[in-house]
Amino acid sequence: MEFTTTIALPALFALSVSAAPAELVKRKTCTLTWHGSHSYGGGGPGQEPIDNLAFSLEVVGGGKHYSAVKDPNGPNNSFSYTVGTAAWGGLHEIKTGASYNGAGSTWYSCALVKQGVTWKGTVKKSVIHSGTVSVTDDDCFVDFPCAE
């Protein structure tokens, strides 16, 4: 007595599957980030203590990148800027705003408007680097569709 077994292999084994390198896969989501940095402290014999704020705006994703140093242009460390299509490489301009709490060294909020739709941001927990001069780094970011 002889037994014969037939195994059917799925057609998937005939396909060659490989992942594209990460840098070639365009993200469908872009991220706009407001970066804030607050340096304070120091001082000593004959030296004044420092209290400096620095801000920047960055947009990345979908093969796009925009970065610029920004100064508050509204009351109480608030920001309101338009990033044109040529600057960030998108199809539509971005209007963005943010509000920073200098005393607390953190963002209150941030948002962006693109094509009449508003996306609200998320405030990331501050990171404090302590020493003679303490530096607090903090971000507020907004994820939004790149291509639309």
Side-chain angles (χ1 to χ4, degrees), residues 5-6 13 16 18 20 25 47 50 52 83-84 90 115-116 121-122 132 137 140 142-143:
T5 304
T6 305
F13 286 115
S16 174
S18 64
V25 178
Q47 296 180 352
I50 65 166
N52 299 326
V83 182
Q115 287 185 276
T122 301
T132 303
D137 293 319
C140 187
V142 183
D143 291 327

Side-chain angles (χ1 to χ4, degrees), residues 38-81:
H38 187 189
S39 303
Y40 48 94
Q47 296 180 352
E48 291 290 321
I50 65 166
D51 188 4
N52 299 326
L53 295 170
F55 304 100
S56 65
L57 173 63
E58 183 176 38
V59 180
V60 295
K64 300 158 181 43
H65 185 261
Y66 168 82
S67 182
V69 173
K70 296 292 184 185
D71 290 323
N73 57 0
N76 301 318
N77 289 324
S78 63
F79 301 80
S80 179
Y81 285 97

Side-chain angles (χ1 to χ4, degrees), residues 36-135:
S37 179
H38 187 189
S39 303
Y40 48 94
Q47 296 180 352
E48 291 290 321
I50 65 166
D51 188 4
N52 299 326
L53 295 170
F55 304 100
S56 65
L57 173 63
E58 183 176 38
V59 180
V60 295
K64 300 158 181 43
H65 185 261
Y66 168 82
S67 182
V69 173
K70 296 292 184 185
D71 290 323
N73 57 0
N76 301 318
N77 289 324
S78 63
F79 301 80
S80 179
Y81 285 97
T82 298
V83 182
T85 57
W88 79 279
L91 298 175
H92 304 280
E93 72 179 13
I94 298 169
K95 294 182 180 183
T96 181
S99 181
Y100 188 80
N101 174 358
S105 299
T106 187
W107 293 99
Y108 286 119
S109 64
C110 64
L112 73 79
V113 177
K114 189 174 90 157
Q115 287 185 276
V117 178
T118 301
W119 284 272
K120 294 189 179 196
T122 301
V123 176
K124 186 177 172 184
K125 184 178 178 183
S126 299
V127 176
I128 301 172
H129 310 279
S130 295
T132 303
V133 173
S134 294
V135 179

